[in-house]
């Protein structure tokens, strides 16, 4: 059963802009940012709906981002539960259709199909009523409600609804008697004979010692053996019109599910799955917000943000999540992050990339508040171990990857580079870092560059110096906070050496003694 009408989408203001489903796996930037772990959990939780292409595809404009934000707000305001119930009903309907396709007996196939139609009918009407009662503000859910209202009011749906209700009612009211003698079975209509099962239960009631678990099983659609199939065949001879209608019902409504309804069922899973994923993190006290996204400015201002992939693991393990602020103002475009080893630099860089990709998907981002430019893509370069099978040296392989990154980058891109060229000398790192940052500055894009080379943080007004910090009273203890601060040239290894008396001066002094 299909309903011809204008198409709609709850993910895209223009339904024809939906991405294709081609491509396998997660692109390198999503893996570098650990977003593949987050997205894989979403995809697994809704395995029937192929959400991966949606998670790989940034939105093209601010209007599309705002469109999704509005749907999220309506769902969080109370519509998520009715939509979840609709989704569960659609899953049951698909299981009935699958069962119908697997059955050989024609009446059993038709009965499973009728069950699917019964579920589908109720699901559409219930969702239409829930959306109408909620009066959503989002254009996406208003369009959905209008489409469903038009569908359930159409003559086509009314005929389908009435026919479904009639068949289900007549089959449920069907009563018959089975007489068994040896290997022979007779079937005839019920004529008011007494219910011997009730009499048997009443006779043995005096032997009942307490509550017992019922072992009775109701088979509404499925046949368990050949005898049951033969009984139904005899019933069909007794009620030819009813069973003929059952068979014709399946033929008349072979295209049961409206493609627009199926599309809504798939698309809304992105919202529901993401809300489910961040729910434990929210309950742990960590904030999420709808970012103010702009295509006119490159200002970045985020409060109390964090690495979503890391936070999910820490919350699950009972750990503590450290939040940070992110600020890029005026001409600032590139944050050069330095500081001690294992002080949160890489986590900060991943957080920066995650923020922009999640914002470009129209999803709530980690943070109490956020203002972000709309990026067209996030590109990454993270250090990789050398592979024996690689025909190029480690440095050459890195340079090839950086060249590919620069060729793809546009002024709307976000670049995250983490400890690039660490296998070379500090002089080479400085030279290469200057060259690459100069190209990023020329592109006028946003970037985070994690390095131990402090000089790279002083390349001009486009570059901002950030540092991961340690406790003032104990430089060996990292805070994992990243702050605006000029690079001070103190590597963490030196801090540790000082704390343990292992600097060159300290060792020389002890040797001389």
């Amino acid at each position: 059963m299909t309903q011809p009408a204008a198409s709609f989408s709850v993910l895209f203001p223009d339904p024809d802009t939906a991405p294709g489903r081609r491509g396998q796996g997660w692109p390198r930037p999503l893996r570098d940012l650990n977003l593949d772990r987050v997205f894989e959990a979403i995809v697994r939780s809704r395995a029937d709906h192929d959400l991966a292409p949606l998670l790989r595809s940034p939105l093209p404009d601010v209007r599309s981002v705002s469109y999704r934000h509005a749907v999220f707000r309506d769902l969080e305001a109370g519509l998520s539960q009715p939509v979840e119930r609709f989704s569960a009903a659609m899953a049951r309907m698909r299981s009935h259709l699958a069962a119908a396709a697997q059955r050989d007996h024609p009446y059993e196939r038709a009965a499973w199909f009728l069950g699917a139609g019964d579920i589908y009918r109720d699901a559409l009407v219930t969702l239409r009523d829930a959306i109408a009662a909620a009066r959503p503000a989002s254009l996406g859910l208003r369009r959905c409600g209008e489409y469903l209202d038009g569908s359930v009011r159409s003559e086509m749906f009314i005929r389908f609804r009435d026919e479904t209700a009639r068949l289900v009612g007549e089959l449920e009211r069907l009563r018959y008697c089975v007489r068994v003698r040896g290997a022979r079975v007779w079937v005839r209509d019920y004529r008011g004979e007494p219910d011997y099962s009730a009499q048997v239960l009443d006779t043995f009631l005096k032997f009942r010692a307490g509550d017992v678990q019922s072992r009775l099983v109701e088979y509404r659609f499925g046949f368990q053996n050949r005898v049951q199939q033969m009984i139904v065949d005899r019933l069909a001879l007794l009620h030819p019109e009813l069973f003929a209608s059952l068979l014709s019902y399946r033929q008349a409504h072979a295209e049961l599910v409206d493609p627009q309804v199926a599309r809504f069922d798939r698309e809304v899973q992105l919202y529901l799955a993401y809300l489910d994923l961040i729910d434990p993190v929210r309950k742990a006290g960590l904030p999420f917000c709808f970012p103010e996204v702009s295509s006119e400015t490159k200002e970045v201002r985020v409060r109390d943000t964090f690495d979503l992939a890391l936070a999910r693991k820490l919350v699950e393990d009972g750990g503590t999540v450290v939040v940070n602020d992110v600020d890029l103002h005026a001409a600032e475009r590139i944050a050069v992050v330095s500081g001690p080893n294992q002080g949160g630099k890489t986590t900060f860089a991943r957080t920066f990339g995650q923020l922009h990709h999640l914002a470009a998907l129209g999803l709530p981002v980690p943070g109490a508040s956020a203002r972000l430019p709309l990026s067209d893509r996030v590109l990454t370069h993270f250090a990789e171990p050398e592979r024996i099978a690689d025909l190029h040296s480690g440095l050459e392989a890195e340079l090839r990857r950086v060249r590919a990154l620069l060729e793809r980058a546009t002024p709307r891109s976000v670049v995250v580079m983490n400890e690039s060229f660490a296998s070379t000398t500090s002089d080479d790192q400085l030279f290469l870092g200057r060259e690459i940052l100069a190209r990023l500055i020329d592109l006028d894009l946003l970037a985070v560059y994690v390095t131990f080379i402090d000089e790279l943080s002083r390349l001009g007004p486009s570059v901002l110096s950030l540092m991961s910090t340690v406790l003032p009273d104990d430089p060996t203890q990292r805070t994992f906070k990243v702050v605006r601060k000029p690079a001070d040239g103190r590597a963490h290894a030196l801090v540790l050496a000082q704390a343990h008396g292992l600097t060159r001066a300290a060792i020389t002094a002890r040797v001389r003694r």
Side-chain angles (χ1 to χ4, degrees), residues 177-178 188 190 192-204:
C177 293
V178 177
R188 63 176 175 80
Y190 174 66
E193 291 87 350
D195 184 353
Y196 291 114
S197 61
Q199 294 182 22
V200 170
L201 289 173
D202 186 62
T203 299
F204 286 92

Side-chain angles (χ1 to χ4, degrees), residues 423-460:
S423 62
T424 66
T425 66
S426 58
D427 288 342
D428 288 340
Q429 290 182 55
L430 176 58
F431 172 78
L432 293 171
R434 280 176 172 163
E435 292 295 317
I436 291 165
L437 289 177
R439 285 162 174 75
L440 296 179
I441 291 170
D442 288 342
L443 283 168
D444 194 38
L445 52 69
L446 294 179
V448 169
Y449 194 96
V450 176
T451 182
F452 289 105
I453 307 300
D454 297 336
E455 290 88 344
L456 295 177
S457 67
R458 299 187 284 270
L459 294 183

Side-chain angles (χ1 to χ4, degrees), residues 16-17 85-86 93 195 198 228 231 329 334 402 433 437 448:
D16 295 336
T17 62
R85 288 193 290 270
F86 169 80
M93 181 213 65
D195 184 353
Q228 290 178 335
I231 290 173
H329 307 309
I334 300 172
V402 172
L437 289 177
V448 169

Side-chain angles (χ1 to χ4, degrees), residues 132-148:
R135 304 179 69 177
S138 65
L139 181 57
L141 286 172
R142 288 206 311 272
R143 286 174 172 175
C144 176
E146 291 166 1
Y147 186 89
L148 292 176

